[in-house]
Amino acid sequence: MLPLHAGPGDQIEPFTPLRLLTAWTFEPVLLAVIIALGSLYLYGVHKLRARGDHWSRGRTFSFIGLGLGSAVVATQSAIGTYDTVLLSVHMAQHMILSMLTPLAMALGAPVTLALRTLPATPRSWLLSVLHSRFAKVICFPLIGFTLFVLSPWALYFSGWYDATLHSALLHDLLHLHFILVGSLFFWPLLGLDPVPGRVIYPFRLMLVFLTLPFHAFLGITIMSSTKLIAEDWYTSFGRSWPPSPLRDQYIAGGLLWGSGDLVGLLFFGVLFVQWVRQSQREARREDRRLDRLEEQARRAARPPR
């Protein structure tokens, strides 16, 4: 069995479809954090429904099933087991944690749930954080966009990624970094939670569209590079089973390019639908306002009896 943070001295079994399904290695601390977050969310939903208020099952499924569930798969399954052995597996993990996990958690609207269920004092603390200057700065969309598109370049073309391979602590912090940066990018743009940084829909769509060439260019750069990322680490395994380190890096670049564009386009579609629905709601409100004004004008024009 491979350890969770496999290194060159470990016996590495070939990465096969069967191993993809069976090579689960649980990391207790990270799993405990995920379970704690899920338990708090479900307790909030139970508390809300116990007093007769509605909470969408779709939001619960998004946060628990897709959000936390994808984090479990990315860090505890064979993806987490082989993420230090194959760059392509790490890249799949990277894209899950930085895009799918934060987007699904944002669709679960946990901040809204907390504001509706917390007692008065913790609720006031949360509101103070949301209204703080720090939150307004860190949630500004251009900050999230810059971190989201530039941090992968800094990660893979500096010594940062190699350092995370040699340190289990830095490796776990890298997972947290992916989720936090993805959250800073997706949550203000999605706009379901009352977090700072929400802007008009055309600007949201523009930012999402601008991420596409960055992911594509980075993916193509990795695919076309003849120099291995973290070369000493990956070649020291001495693997005799495919893919070769260079082929593995080519696959990793393709995964980054393809999955980044796919999720980006899906999110672009979600925002566009939200914009259309908001415009329809505003049009209905305006129609009702004009109807009221028209009715008032007719009443005013009637001669007195």
Side-chain angles (χ1 to χ4, degrees):
M1 177 184 294
L2 281 175
L4 188 63
H5 189 86
D10 298 310
Q11 294 295 322
I12 310 299
E13 298 183 30
F15 187 62
T16 63
L18 180 61
R19 294 287 294 166
L20 179 61
L21 297 175
T22 61
W24 286 67
T25 309
F26 295 101
E27 202 287 310
V29 175
L30 186 57
L31 187 60
V33 172
I34 293 173
I35 292 174
L37 289 175
S39 299
L40 288 172
Y41 189 94
L42 291 175
Y43 176 73
V45 174
H46 170 74
K47 187 175 179 181
L48 199 65
R49 290 179 175 169
R51 70 187 190 203
D53 291 337
H54 173 73
W55 187 257
S56 167
R57 286 187 175 87
R59 288 186 176 184
T60 303
F61 175 74
S62 292
F63 188 87
I64 302 294
L66 296 180
L68 297 183
S70 64
V72 169
V73 170
T75 58
Q76 313 288 310
S77 73
I79 296 176
T81 304
Y82 280 85
D83 67 340
T84 57
V85 180
L86 295 169
L87 181 63
S88 57
V89 175
H90 160 80
M91 197 64 72
Q93 182 188 69
H94 175 168
M95 301 312 292
I96 291 172
L97 293 177
S98 65
M99 301 192 78
L100 177 58
T101 298
L103 178 56
M105 291 174 68
L107 287 169
V111 177
T112 301
L113 179 63
L115 290 174
R116 293 181 62 182
T117 56
L118 283 174
T121 300
R123 185 176 185 274
S124 66
W125 293 342
L126 178 57
L127 287 172
S128 297
V129 171
L130 293 174
H131 295 154
S132 66
R133 184 180 297 274
F134 174 77
K136 292 177 181 178
V137 171
I138 199 66
C139 291
F140 184 61
L142 287 179
I143 299 294
F145 172 81
T146 302
L147 291 172
F148 188 72
V149 300
L150 294 185
S151 62
W153 287 91
L155 173 65
Y156 297 116
F157 295 101
S158 71
W160 181 17
Y161 178 64
D162 189 65
T164 66
L165 292 172
H166 288 85
S167 168
L169 175 60
L170 291 178
H171 191 69
D172 290 340
L173 289 177
L174 179 62
H175 297 159
L176 180 62
H177 165 82
F178 288 148
I179 296 174
L180 289 179
V181 169
S183 297
L184 287 176
F185 177 69
F186 284 112
W187 280 18
L189 296 184
L190 192 61
L192 293 182
D193 272 329
V195 297
R198 290 183 292 180
V199 292
I200 60 176
Y201 276 103
F203 189 63
R204 300 184 198 185
L205 293 170
M206 181 186 72
L207 286 179
V208 174
F209 187 75
L210 287 176
T211 65
L212 302 181
F214 280 97
H215 274 124
F217 187 44
L218 177 57
I220 292 172
T221 300
I222 292 175
M223 292 171 69
S224 59
S225 176
T226 57
K227 178 175 174 55
L228 289 175
I229 297 172
E231 180 175 6
D232 292 342
W233 175 271
Y234 286 115
T235 56
S236 63
F237 281 101
R239 291 187 294 103
S240 59
W241 43 272
S244 67
L246 191 59
R247 176 62 180 174
D248 180 52
Q249 181 167 297
Y250 181 87
I251 296 171
L255 285 173
L256 190 151
W257 178 12
S259 60
D261 283 359
L262 176 62
V263 177
L265 289 172
L266 287 174
F267 187 50
F268 187 91
V270 169
L271 289 180
F272 184 77
V273 170
Q274 284 185 329
W275 187 14
V276 171
R277 289 179 176 175
Q278 183 194 55
S279 299
Q280 291 174 341
R281 288 194 297 269
E282 291 176 351
R284 287 194 292 268
R285 283 197 297 268
E286 181 64 15
D287 287 341
R288 289 194 294 269
R289 188 185 70 85
L290 293 175
D291 289 342
R292 287 195 299 270
L293 291 176
E294 185 178 351
E295 180 62 24
Q296 291 172 2
R298 283 200 300 266
R299 291 179 180 177
R302 291 175 185 170
R305 293 182 180 178

